[in-house]
């Protein structure tokens, strides 16, 4: 069962994680930026739907940032860079692409992603992060 969190908790977490991502070494900052954007988007959804916590909006209990962006009716351009990333293969062993909802796991566990695709996704997170700053005002 997912943890219930409030609008205030999501907003505060978004700010804390965003600030940490801006001051953390690269290996960790992508993970923090992902979680910051996730919390920011969920916070905006709750606010726009006049909900106080996630039990009132169970459809946002997801790690799929593209789906959260769609729930906010953002333009496709806002999240177009959030696409699957190929993993770097070692020793002839190939992995399936890492889909957007699993990107946080790839960064959390240290999976090596294709560097160009990873840059593209991080740029997409940055765009959504800026949108969160504008909508939340913090």
């Amino acid at each position: 069962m997912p943890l219930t969190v409030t609008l205030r908790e999501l907003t505060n977490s978004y700010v804390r994680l965003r600030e940490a991502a801006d001051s953390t070494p690269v290996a960790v900052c992508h993970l923090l930026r992902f979680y910051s954007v996730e919390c920011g988007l969920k916070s905006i959804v709750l606010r726009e739907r006049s909900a106080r916590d996630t039990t009132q909006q169970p459809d946002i209990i997801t790690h799929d940032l593209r789906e959260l962006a769609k729930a906010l009716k953002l333009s496709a351009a806002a999240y177009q860079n959030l696409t699957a990333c190929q993993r770097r293969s070692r020793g002839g062993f190939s992995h399936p692409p890492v889909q957007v909802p699993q990107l946080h796991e790839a960064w959390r566990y240290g999976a090596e992603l294709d560097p160009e695709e990873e840059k593209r996704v991080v740029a997409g997170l940055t765009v959504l992060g800026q949108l969160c700053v504008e909508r939340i005002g913090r």
Side-chain angles (χ1 to χ4, degrees):
M1 173 176 276
L3 179 72
T4 300
V5 292
T6 66
L7 171 60
R8 189 179 119 248
E9 289 168 329
L10 279 171
T11 303
N12 289 339
S13 182
Y14 146 73
V15 171
R16 277 192 313 273
L17 291 167
R18 185 195 69 223
E19 289 171 352
D22 289 342
S23 64
T24 303
V26 174
V28 178
C29 74
H30 300 332
L31 176 63
L32 295 175
R33 191 168 315 282
F34 182 99
Y35 285 141
S36 172
V37 168
E38 181 181 337
C39 289
L41 293 175
K42 288 177 180 182
S43 173
I44 296 165
V45 169
L46 290 183
R47 188 173 294 165
E48 288 187 358
R49 295 179 180 175
S50 300
R52 294 185 328 153
D53 64 48
T54 53
T55 61
Q56 297 174 316
Q57 298 296 316
D59 63 309
I60 69 167
I61 298 175
T62 180
H63 293 291
D64 192 337
L65 303 183
R66 291 177 63 87
E67 288 303 314
L68 290 170
K70 289 175 187 177
L72 288 166
K73 297 180 176 42
L74 300 180
S75 71
Y79 55 88
Q80 70 183 0
N81 286 330
L82 292 183
T83 59
C85 285
Q86 292 295 324
R87 288 183 64 181
R88 295 179 82 177
S89 58
R90 300 249 187 240
F93 184 75
S94 63
H95 301 278
V98 178
Q99 300 300 318
V100 173
Q102 286 76 42
L103 283 169
H104 67 105
E105 293 178 85
W107 288 318
R108 184 170 68 225
Y109 298 131
E112 293 183 48
L113 302 176
D114 175 272
E116 292 305 311
E117 292 181 1
E118 186 173 44
K119 283 181 198 173
R120 183 196 66 243
V121 168
V122 170
L125 289 174
T126 301
V127 167
L128 287 177
Q130 185 56 43
L131 182 137
C132 290
V133 168
E134 292 166 8
R135 293 245 187 131
I136 294 172
R138 301 178 31 186

